[in-house]
Amino acid sequence: MVDYHAANNQSSTEGVQIYMEQENDWDRDLLLDPAWEKQQRKTFTAWCNSHLRKSGTQIESIEEDFRDGLKLMLLLETISGERLAKPERGKMRVHKINNVNKALDFIAGKGVKLVSIGAEEIVDGNAKMTLGMIWTIILRFAIQDISVEETSAKEGLLLWCQRKTAPYKNVNVQNFHISWKDGLAFNALIHRHRPDLIDYDSLRKDDPVTNLNNAFEVAEKHLDIPKMLDAEDIVGTLRPDEKAIMTYVSCFYHAFSGAQKAETAANRICKVLAVNQENEQMMEDYEKLASELLEWIRRTIPWLENRTQEKTVTDMQAKQEDFRDYRCVHKPPKVQEKCQLEISFNTLQTKLRLSNRPAFMPSEGRMVSDINGAWYTLEGAEKGYEEWILSEIRRLERLEHLAEKFHQKSKIHESWTDGKEAMLTQKDYETCTLSEVKALLRKHEAFESDLAAHQDRVEQIAAIAQELNELDYYDSASVNARCQKICDQWDSLGALTQNRKESLERTEKQLESIDELYLEYAKRAAPFNNWMEGAMEDLQDMFIVHNIEEIQGLITAHEQFKSTLAEANKEREAIQAIQAEVQKIAQSNGIKLSAANPYTTITPQSIDSKWEKAMGMVPLRDTALQEELNKQNNNDSLRAKFATQANTVGAYIQAKMEEIGRISIEMNGTLEDQLTNLRDYQTSIMSYMPEINTLEGSHQLIQEALIFDNQYTSYTMEHLRVGWEQLLTTIARTINEVENQILTRDAKGISQEQLYEYRASFNHFDKDHSGALMAEEFKACLISLGYDVENNKQGDSEFARIMSIVDPNNSGAVTFQAFIDFMSRETTDTDTADQVIASFKILAADKTFITAEELRRELPPDQAEYCIARMAPYTGPDAAPGALDYMSFSTALYGESDL
């Protein structure tokens, strides 16, 4: 049965009174219709008896049994829960009129305006007036307080019927008369709330009597709703009586009002669970993206730390190209993922704060700080790898140059030593004359001079081999073997030279004369020949330079060498003059000369040949040096070009970084305007990307030209890349901050003026424009906003409490986002764990536990299964089979215990 005590509330609104006045203007002429009068009489009688039975009585005839006013007063006391004035027990007409007037006065006292209904008509048994009075009572105490989605009374009851029957086929409730004739609407209402009582699919639209009787019987038997209509009366009437239908349907509404409360509770739980499910999805997405990014960093760092050396410059340049591909192709998407990860993390934390949930703590090793640390390690590995590649290219370039120089000098030395051992081991002096022996001795002295001159070359070869070993040359084994062979041979030559000298000196006493001219020729020809060989070696020497100053130094040295050629030519002519003097003396004295100078193997022809060869090398050296000078001039142009672009880009990035810093502090207008302006600003920044790409192209040309320094600029490409990435990240973070402020404002209901006030207060005390307030600055800000945090015991305690909220990590600084979150919590309200527990309690019919069946009946399927999977079994003393603990589950949603 339905409790109508709530209908006694005296604060009836003016709108409700107007509605009652409209309903009281019912068409009394319609009551003359016998069918409608019959329906109303039966319905109203049943409705009255449903309440009078509580007082142990009932009526048989609605127009007769209310005539003395006693049962009418009893009916009003029963449905209102209030006591009326004491009735008069006399049998006279005046006593009856007085009793009816007391009842009518009570009705009028409830804000109901009675139109044309007087006590005399009721006492006289006027059926039309009696039915009108009962309808007025039904409207006031059974229908008036029905409210569905801000509509009330008849409209609210109709809307409730439409919502409850909407899913059912062949049911379309548009009114309270013909929409109910086929009986399907009554059955749908019962099935919606008690599907165990009705087999709706077995009902047929073309059998309205069966449908109506089924609904009426089920309602009377299982729902304690008395049968107020006859199926035959409804079917047999073209248009059933609206008031009779409304009265009957209102009984269904009140019978199922408890289910309505459960639906409201379910909606609250659905809302809370939807927020929780969305947050959990964002957490899963963050964990997945963080894991993938950390895995990529983990796989990339070993590659960047690999220091496997290559054998050639070409192989190292291939590694350099792979690294450039990594920087330009593979890394940029990961930079975007890292930025998006930070934005997702901040957005998730904001949503959790707005929904009064605990902050999200990623799994171990996946915090933003962990990712930043891994990223810092990655960038350190990048820098080290790039520096290693460049140093390796320099090393290999140096090695190739040294190896070529080693082999060139070794070849010259081996060519010189070829046959020297055989010469030093021959004993030709045994059959020579004294002059010939003396000649052999002088020749040997010249050879010793030549040998000493070659000592420097041998030392150079050994030094080059040592340097190749120190630089870890890949073919050091063959170099060492050749160097060892040369050194061993050189030691052997030294020993053989000493042995031959001793042999010649033993026979020197037997040898007297020696041709001084041959000797002078030999002594002058040998160093001159060595000088020419050294000059040719220098003219063929390979060189490597890195800037204009170095090549200009080589050109200056070459010019100095050319300035000595005139003196060298005079020396050559002097040597040739000695040979000519020998020929003149021999001819004048009839002396027969031997085929060759006994003191030297250097002939005038060989001197002239080497001289011509050396002179031919001079212009080739000029050409090579000029080509290298042109190359260095071109490299210098590349440096200048890169420097011009780098200085422009560097200044642009610096200016934009300072500008975005000012914008984030001095932003005006609505948050939406600020967001639009920031996105436009981000677009304008991204339009500068072609300049960055152009600079990357210039940097690639610099690296391809093996240019390792640039005196025209202090910027490096690495610095500019980092600065550009920081600029894009700063803009994205600023946009995200404004988006979170919008999210906070919309979720918390904070007005634009409040946000302006908070921003103005925050900026006023942020003297250093750092975007954060120190503890004393924050205290001054709170005082300016009216908080009592003065320097006393109570104020210090309150300030400590607030600091524990806005600075849980005890960093000593309060960010603007933490300040906004605190102010929004101070001024708005959110769902709490207690509210969710109260909602579950309604669904559980006031039990301290809930069952899976109740969850599946009251909640949508996905959210019901969500609760069942996460609720722990209930273990209280009143536990039933399958009982679930909704209290600990609700508490866990708000972080007060582990879910």
Side-chain angles (χ1 to χ4, degrees):
M1 294 302 291
V2 181
D3 183 7
Y4 292 100
H5 288 192
N8 294 320
N9 192 328
Q10 297 298 322
S11 59
S12 301
T13 64
E14 182 178 353
V16 173
Q17 293 177 352
I18 294 173
Y19 173 75
M20 294 295 297
E21 292 170 6
Q22 293 172 347
E23 286 295 329
N24 283 327
D25 292 331
W26 51 294
D27 189 355
R28 292 175 174 79
D29 293 331
L30 293 177
L31 288 175
L32 299 177
D33 187 320
W36 283 22
E37 183 177 351
K38 179 181 179 182
Q39 293 176 24
Q40 286 191 11
R41 189 186 299 275
K42 181 176 180 61
T43 301
F44 291 177
T45 299
W47 183 86
C48 291
N49 285 333
S50 69
H51 295 289
L52 288 172
R53 279 199 302 271
K54 300 175 185 178
S55 299
T57 186
Q58 63 180 14
I59 62 172
E60 298 294 334
S61 172
I62 198 165
E63 68 269 24
E64 291 295 328
D65 293 347
F66 285 137
R67 291 180 62 184
D68 61 0
L70 295 176
K71 288 186 177 181
L72 178 60
M73 294 178 69
L74 182 60
L75 173 66
L76 290 173
E77 288 183 344
T78 301
I79 64 177
S80 68
E82 300 180 20
R83 298 291 296 176
L84 273 68
K86 185 176 181 180
E88 297 179 9
R89 296 295 179 177
K91 300 295 185 180
M92 299 177 64
R93 177 178 175 85
V94 65
H95 296 143
K96 296 178 181 180
I97 291 175
N98 287 341
N99 288 337
V100 172
N101 276 329
K102 289 178 182 179
L104 296 180
D105 290 340
F106 178 83
I107 295 172
K110 296 299 181 181
V112 179
K113 183 179 179 181
L114 299 171
V115 180
S116 303
I117 298 177
E120 291 77 9
E121 286 87 352
I122 306 302
V123 172
D124 293 337
N126 188 319
K128 179 170 63 174
M129 294 300 176
T130 302
L131 290 173
M133 177 190 67
I134 296 302
W135 172 243
T136 300
I137 294 172
I138 292 172
L139 278 177
R140 173 59 183 85
F141 293 98
I143 298 177
Q144 173 184 315
D145 292 330
I146 294 175
S147 178
V148 178
E149 294 186 359
E150 299 182 358
T151 61
S152 60
K154 177 181 178 180
E155 290 80 9
L157 184 60
L158 181 62
L159 179 58
W160 178 79
C161 295
Q162 291 172 339
R163 287 181 56 190
K164 296 300 181 181
T165 61
Y168 293 86
K169 62 181 181 179
N170 297 325
V171 178
N172 183 18
V173 177
Q174 298 297 327
N175 49 55
F176 287 106
H177 36 80
I178 59 175
S179 295
W180 303 82
K181 282 190 67 173
D182 56 12
L184 292 177
F186 285 104
N187 284 277
L189 279 178
I190 298 173
H191 184 269
R192 179 63 182 271
H193 296 90
R194 293 290 302 275
D196 56 313
L197 300 179
I198 296 289
D199 182 9
Y200 185 83
D201 293 333
S202 65
L203 303 176
R204 294 186 297 113
K205 186 176 181 65
D206 58 356
D207 190 5
V209 173
T210 300
N211 297 341
L212 288 166
N213 284 328
N214 182 66
F216 296 163
E217 290 169 3
V218 168
E220 187 173 35
K221 181 179 180 181
H222 297 283
L223 303 178
D224 200 21
I225 298 175
K227 184 177 180 181
M228 298 183 181
L229 292 170
D230 290 325
E232 292 75 12
D233 293 339
I234 295 176
V235 174
T237 304
L238 182 63
R239 183 174 183 271
D241 178 66
E242 183 179 58
K243 296 177 178 60
I245 298 294
M246 282 182 66
T247 302
Y248 205 1
V249 171
S250 69
C251 294
F252 285 86
Y253 172 88
H254 290 292
F256 295 133
S257 61
Q260 184 69 26
K261 293 179 181 178
E263 181 178 352
T264 302
N267 290 337
R268 175 182 289 272
I269 292 173
C270 289
K271 176 184 174 183
V272 172
L273 295 180
V275 171
N276 218 58
Q277 288 173 309
E278 180 183 3
N279 291 341
E280 287 185 359
Q281 185 61 48
M282 291 187 68
M283 293 176 190
E284 292 175 4
D285 294 342
Y286 173 89
E287 291 281 347
K288 180 182 178 183
L289 185 58
S291 298
E292 291 175 353
L293 184 58
L294 287 171
E295 175 62 18
W296 178 82
I297 294 174
R298 186 191 65 78
R299 287 187 284 102
T300 304
I301 288 178
W303 176 67
L304 294 172
E305 292 176 343
N306 182 16
R307 297 295 186 268
T308 302
Q309 295 179 337
E310 299 295 338
K311 296 180 178 180
T312 65
V313 174
T314 302
D315 293 337
M316 284 306 300
Q317 287 175 337
K319 279 194 172 184
Q320 187 180 43
E321 186 62 30
D322 292 340
F323 180 72
R324 186 181 296 113
D325 185 65
Y326 156 80
R327 293 296 293 271
C328 298
V329 177
H330 301 291
K331 184 183 177 185
K334 299 302 178 183
V335 173
Q336 293 296 324
E337 289 180 10
K338 176 176 175 291
C339 180
Q340 182 59 43
L341 195 67
E342 293 182 10
I343 291 174
S344 298
F345 181 83
N346 293 335
T347 301
L348 175 59
Q349 297 293 41
T350 299
K351 287 187 175 182
L352 289 172
R353 286 193 296 271
L354 295 178
S355 58
N356 202 21
R357 302 300 198 277
F360 168 54
M361 289 296 294
S363 56
E364 184 177 358
R366 292 181 175 83
M367 294 288 291
V368 172
S369 59
D370 297 327
I371 295 171
N372 287 335
W375 192 264
Y376 179 81
T377 303
L378 174 71
E379 292 183 332
E382 279 182 20
K383 183 178 179 181
Y385 189 68
E386 186 174 30
E387 292 173 351
W388 175 75
I389 287 176
L390 295 177
S391 67
E392 275 297 288
I393 290 176
R394 293 193 190 98
R395 184 183 70 84
L396 291 173
E397 188 177 35
R398 173 68 176 165
L399 283 175
E400 289 182 0
H401 171 69
L402 288 174
E404 186 172 355
K405 191 172 184 178
F406 171 84
H407 290 299
Q408 182 184 11
K409 287 183 178 292
S410 297
K411 183 178 180 182
I412 294 173
H413 175 78
E414 289 167 347
S415 176
W416 179 83
T417 59
D418 184 38
K420 292 296 188 294
E421 289 183 352
M423 181 195 73
L424 291 172
T425 57
Q426 66 180 346
K427 298 182 178 181
D428 54 334
Y429 54 85
E430 293 179 350
T431 59
C432 292
T433 63
L434 180 61
S435 60
E436 289 175 338
V437 170
K438 288 184 177 289
L440 288 176
L441 187 58
R442 300 294 183 270
K443 181 179 179 182
H444 187 73
E445 290 175 353
F447 173 76
E448 283 182 320
S449 177
D450 196 11
L451 186 67
H454 278 81
Q455 176 69 34
D456 183 63
R457 180 178 290 114
V458 174
E459 292 175 354
Q460 289 179 6
I461 291 172
I464 293 172
Q466 178 64 28
E467 188 172 359
L468 286 171
N469 278 279
E470 291 174 351
L471 294 176
D472 198 21
Y473 182 55
Y474 79 96
D475 199 20
S476 295
S478 64
V479 169
N480 292 336
R482 191 171 187 180
C483 180
Q484 187 63 43
K485 181 180 178 182
I486 290 172
C487 291
D488 292 344
Q489 187 185 40
W490 184 255
D491 292 338
S492 177
L493 285 176
L496 291 173
T497 300
Q498 183 64 29
N499 291 337
R500 184 173 176 80
K501 181 180 180 180
E502 292 173 356
S503 298
L504 289 172
E505 286 177 348
R506 280 193 304 266
T507 59
E508 185 180 12
K509 293 179 180 179
Q510 302 174 5
L511 302 174
E512 281 185 301
S513 76
I514 187 169
D515 194 337
E516 293 295 335
L517 291 175
Y518 274 136
L519 182 59
E520 183 181 1
Y521 175 90
K523 288 182 177 181
R524 295 182 69 173
F528 184 73
N529 184 68
N530 281 332
W531 176 85
M532 286 194 297
E533 288 181 350
M536 288 189 291
E537 184 177 340
D538 290 339
L539 290 171
Q540 297 178 81
D541 188 22
M542 302 294 292
F543 57 84
I544 179 171
V545 295
H546 297 96
N547 53 54
I548 293 177
E549 289 75 14
E550 292 179 4
I551 188 61
Q552 286 178 340
L554 290 178
I555 292 174
T556 301
H558 183 62
E559 292 299 325
Q560 291 174 351
F561 165 76
K562 290 197 296 183
S563 67
T564 65
L565 292 180
E567 288 296 326
N569 191 42
K570 289 180 180 179
E571 178 65 13
R572 182 185 67 82
E573 291 174 348
I575 293 172
Q576 297 292 40
I578 293 173
Q579 182 65 24
E581 184 66 20
V582 169
Q583 295 293 336
K584 181 179 178 181
I585 294 174
Q587 290 175 2
S588 62
N589 294 290
I591 298 173
K592 186 178 180 181
L593 299 174
S594 62
N597 190 322
Y599 303 111
T600 181
T601 59
I602 302 172
T603 66
Q605 293 78 17
S606 67
I607 290 176
D608 287 341
S609 175
K610 288 182 179 179
W611 178 261
E612 292 175 0
K613 186 176 180 181
M615 292 304 99
M617 291 179 179
V618 171
L620 295 177
R621 184 71 168 182
D622 288 335
T623 301
L625 290 172
Q626 187 60 43
E627 289 177 351
E628 184 62 27
L629 178 62
N630 294 338
K631 176 183 175 183
Q632 291 302 323
N633 283 329
N634 182 62
N635 288 353
D636 204 54
S637 299
L638 291 176
R639 289 187 183 94
K641 179 181 178 182
F642 175 81
T644 300
Q645 295 173 346
N647 290 335
T648 300
V649 172
Y652 174 85
I653 292 175
Q654 180 65 28
K656 293 303 179 182
M657 285 296 291
E658 294 174 358
E659 188 174 293
I660 191 61
R662 292 193 302 271
I663 289 174
S664 63
I665 295 175
E666 301 171 0
M667 289 187 295
N668 295 317
T670 65
L671 291 178
E672 286 75 10
D673 292 340
Q674 294 175 20
L675 184 59
T676 300
N677 293 336
L678 282 173
R679 286 176 174 162
D680 292 342
Y681 186 79
Q682 184 183 43
T683 301
S684 71
I685 293 296
M686 291 305 298
S687 67
Y688 197 72
M689 192 64 190
E691 300 298 327
I692 302 297
N693 294 334
T694 301
L695 185 63
E696 287 283 2
S698 298
H699 182 251
Q700 182 174 349
L701 295 177
I702 287 283
Q703 289 191 323
E704 290 173 351
L706 300 179
I707 299 171
F708 306 110
D709 58 350
N710 194 334
Q711 69 274 26
Y712 299 116
T713 181
S714 60
Y715 291 107
T716 66
M717 195 64 229
E718 175 63 24
H719 293 157
L720 294 175
R721 289 191 191 107
V722 172
W724 179 252
E725 292 171 1
Q726 288 178 348
L727 176 60
L728 297 181
T729 302
T730 300
I731 295 172
R733 286 174 177 167
T734 304
I735 291 175
N736 180 247
E737 179 182 346
V738 176
E739 290 174 339
N740 286 340
Q741 290 180 30
I742 293 175
L743 187 61
T744 301
R745 181 200 65 192
D746 294 342
K748 298 295 187 176
I750 299 176
S751 67
Q752 190 70 41
E753 291 73 15
Q754 287 178 303
L755 281 176
Y756 281 151
E757 180 184 355
Y758 298 157
R759 170 58 78 179
S761 298
F762 189 90
N763 290 344
H764 175 75
F765 291 98
D766 185 15
K767 303 299 184 182
D768 57 356
H769 303 296
S770 62
L773 298 180
M774 296 298 102
E776 290 303 318
E777 293 175 335
F778 180 59
K779 176 181 281 190
C781 182
L782 289 177
I783 293 173
S784 71
L785 292 173
Y787 284 82
D788 185 11
V789 290
E790 296 290 347
N791 292 326
N792 52 57
K793 184 176 181 180
Q794 182 177 358
D796 291 342
S797 175
E798 175 64 11
F799 182 68
R801 181 191 70 81
I802 295 174
M803 283 299 291
S804 68
I805 296 174
V806 299
D807 184 23
N809 297 325
N810 295 322
S811 64
V814 181
T815 64
F816 180 67
Q817 187 60 48
F819 175 67
I820 285 295
D821 291 341
F822 170 72
M823 295 307 298
S824 63
R825 281 196 296 268
E826 291 291 303
T827 57
T828 59
D829 188 22
T830 57
D831 289 327
T832 64
D834 290 339
Q835 291 175 325
V836 176
I837 290 173
S839 298
F840 272 117
K841 188 172 184 181
I842 292 175
L843 297 187
D846 288 335
K847 299 191 299 294
T848 56
F849 61 85
I850 194 167
T851 65
E853 180 182 357
E854 289 171 330
L855 288 171
R856 290 190 177 102
R857 184 176 71 233
E858 302 297 345
L859 299 179
D862 60 333
Q863 295 184 338
E865 298 304 324
Y866 177 86
C867 293
I868 294 169
R870 286 163 173 76
M871 283 187 181
Y874 179 73
T875 58
D878 55 341
L884 300 175
D885 187 354
Y886 63 79
M887 292 187 181
S888 61
F889 172 77
S890 302
T891 305
L893 288 177
Y894 290 86
E896 297 180 19
S897 65
D898 293 332
L899 181 58

